[in-house]
Amino acid sequence: MTELNSPTPPGPSRRTTLRAASGGALLLGTALAGCRSAVSDASSRARDDDGRPRRGGVLDIAVNSDFTPALLFSQSAQSLQHRLVFNTLTRYDDRLVPQPELARSWAYAKDGRSLTLELRDDVTFHNGRAFTADDVIFAVKNLQKPVRAAQLRATAAVVTGFEKRGPHTLVLELAHPVNNLFDLFEFMIITDPESVEDAVAGRRLIGTGPFTLKKWSPGSGLSLGRNPAYWRPGRPYLDGVELRVVPQADALVSSLRSGQSQLSFNVPGKSLATVRDAPGLTITDYATGGGAVYLGVNTTVAPLNDRTVRQALAWAVDRDRLLAQSLGGYGLASAAPWPRSSPAFTEAHRTHYTHDPAKARALLRSAGHKGLAFPLLHLALPAETAVAESIQYDLKQVGVRVTLRPTDPATAQKKLISQDMPALWTLGHSFAQVQPSTLAVSAYPFNEARNTSRYRSARYTELVREAWTEPPADRAAAHAQYDRISTLLLDEAFLIDLVVRGQIQVSSDRLHGVRLNKFSYLDLDDAYLA
């Protein structure tokens, strides 16, 4: 067997931090004034004070939507708290190299048809029960259930057998090789099997993570307390975490500026300039592309079943203006889903569609369509409403009238999963920041077998399955695979990417050691309030 893991501990996310400065200017499309490199681990950030993390205190996090128990096993805007209560088997560093978490080490068989995991033997759940290989078996089987609506269910389903070699050694048998198994390991939270139904009902959350659930107040938020038996010695530093729902943008910004909250990822783009000029606050851009803003198209609604019409919409949207005016300038205007850190990224794909309303109108005329009108679903939140209004304006310029349809986050997620979207919608998607094959195998908007746009193509399925199950031996062949997938996505335009955007963190200068995993699960193991 071939060892694939590195013994080094998890590394911090690469990101850019902007210090709030009076009169600081944002330079769009080039660089950001006053930017400096930020390292998120506690030992490095501690150098900002006396070199020692402070123990104690409760961190208040302002969120704009409540925890949704039914979506516990999905990645969504409600996933922020996952890593606070639960651990995962591994986590990626910036180079997509898996690092240990509940799995100490691993080794693939030479034929790629099995993987042996060596698990930690010093971990207990919040109820005192020891973590064993049985819990990993349960976690995989749990994600294989359609009722869980887990985006990586297809990858979990590749695991067809389990061989225990003691309580902390497990062999996963695979139906065929896949190149995104460690995406699954970072996505898959390890839950207590005995209380999992209580978890999806919001009654109990029992994991192995650094914090335990004290209380969930629907509509108000989550209250978490320090896990005194956490497997990482001396962690966490914080006594507790409060995730408080503040849906109004002005109130959310006010809570940060007043110090009532010390952390948020939900400040609307239009408010970031105000926050940037506030003393005592830092804006951090997780530039690894954990998300993207897009325009979704239901290909079963005429005339959106015409590829020419979909391409016209792609040319109509002014991505640069949307980025500057609606997203505060944080992100990368892009027609393709990939962040710059992805092995699938190319500049040609990013700029495949630019703002060209004349070309959009010409394509609509060539297809014989004019005076089109569609509903556009969007989240009823300030940042998302601003994006929808920007799209509405641009489409109006090419003769497409759009009626906005605001929707709450939980309903939008359910519609996304059940393929119950109207003609057009705008949301955010993830999964382009990990192995490129995962996007088209697992993300609801892109899934080759059952996507939200109801787009079907034998060629798309062939390309995706090839990239997923037959990893090429050399980098050039891999890039050729990714190029074919990107070219099809751009040509068919059943989903129109607009801006690649990571999480935008606003935090108090007192707060150190915050990081996110690749699926935007918040990791506060090393966080402390100075």
Side-chain angles (χ1 to χ4, degrees), residues 8-28:
T8 56
S13 297
R14 181 175 295 126
R15 55 198 187 160
T16 301
T17 296
L18 309 176
R19 278 291 175 190
S22 174
L26 184 64
L27 306 179
L28 299 178

Side-chain angles (χ1 to χ4, degrees), residues 288-306:
T288 51
V293 176
Y294 72 93
L295 174 63
V297 182
N298 187 334
T299 62
T300 65
V301 175
L304 297 174
N305 57 338
D306 184 341

Side-chain angles (χ1 to χ4, degrees), residues 263-516:
L263 177 65
S264 183
F265 296 90
N266 300 123
V267 175
K270 290 183 176 181
S271 301
L272 287 172
T274 301
V275 172
R276 191 173 60 251
D277 293 337
L281 294 176
T282 298
I283 298 176
T284 305
D285 178 7
Y286 286 80
T288 51
V293 176
Y294 72 93
L295 174 63
V297 182
N298 187 334
T299 62
T300 65
V301 175
L304 297 174
N305 57 338
D306 184 341
R307 182 177 59 183
T308 302
V309 175
R310 302 195 297 267
Q311 291 176 345
L313 301 185
W315 287 107
V317 180
D318 188 342
R319 292 167 176 80
D320 291 322
R321 184 178 63 82
L322 186 152
L323 172 61
Q325 295 184 3
S326 301
L327 300 176
Y330 293 90
L332 177 70
S334 180
W338 318 111
R340 291 191 187 277
S341 59
S342 171
F345 175 86
T346 71
E347 186 66 14
H349 293 148
R350 184 185 79 81
T351 58
H352 180 86
Y353 290 110
T354 55
H355 183 224
D356 193 337
K359 187 166 188 174
R361 287 190 289 266
L363 285 172
L364 290 173
R365 285 195 302 270
S366 72
H369 301 297
K370 61 180 181 179
L372 297 178
F374 304 110
L376 174 68
L377 180 145
H378 66 93
L379 298 185
L381 297 169
E384 287 73 9
T385 299
V387 169
E389 289 173 345
S390 183
I391 294 171
Q392 181 186 44
Y393 174 84
D394 287 339
L395 295 188
K396 182 179 179 181
Q397 308 314 302
V398 300
V400 178
R401 184 167 55 86
V402 165
T403 302
L404 300 187
R405 187 181 292 180
T407 310
D408 68 273
T411 299
Q413 183 78 355
K414 291 174 183 176
K415 286 180 173 290
L416 190 77
I417 295 169
S418 63
Q419 301 175 291
D420 188 28
M421 285 295 189
L424 300 175
W425 70 94
T426 180
L427 292 172
H429 73 74
S430 185
F431 297 95
Q433 75 279 19
V434 285
Q435 297 298 335
S437 62
T438 293
L439 182 76
V441 171
S442 301
Y444 296 123
F446 292 89
N447 190 296
E448 53 83 18
R450 190 176 184 274
N451 55 69
T452 312
S453 296
R454 301 190 178 188
Y455 171 80
R456 298 291 180 270
S457 162
R459 178 58 175 161
Y460 185 39
T461 295
E462 177 188 6
L463 293 175
V464 170
R465 293 282 162 167
E466 178 183 293
W468 182 44
T469 63
E470 300 177 15
D474 61 87
R475 184 173 297 181
H479 280 294
Q481 279 187 345
Y482 305 147
D483 184 78
R484 289 191 289 270
I485 292 173
S486 296
T487 298
L488 184 145
L489 290 174
L490 292 166
D491 192 45
E492 294 295 331
F494 63 88
L495 186 143
I496 300 167
D497 269 289
L498 304 174
V499 175
V500 174
R501 193 172 194 251
Q503 292 283 358
I504 308 300
Q505 172 183 304
V506 179
S507 59
S508 165
D509 286 349
R510 295 178 54 223
L511 178 62
H512 303 282
V514 176
R515 62 183 180 183
L516 296 173

Side-chain angles (χ1 to χ4, degrees), residues 194-215:
E194 297 174 0
S195 61
V196 69
E197 295 305 325
D198 283 341
V200 295
R203 291 187 291 268
R204 287 192 297 168
L205 299 178
I206 297 178
T208 62
F211 298 94
T212 62
L213 176 65
K214 293 169 61 178
K215 184 180 181 181

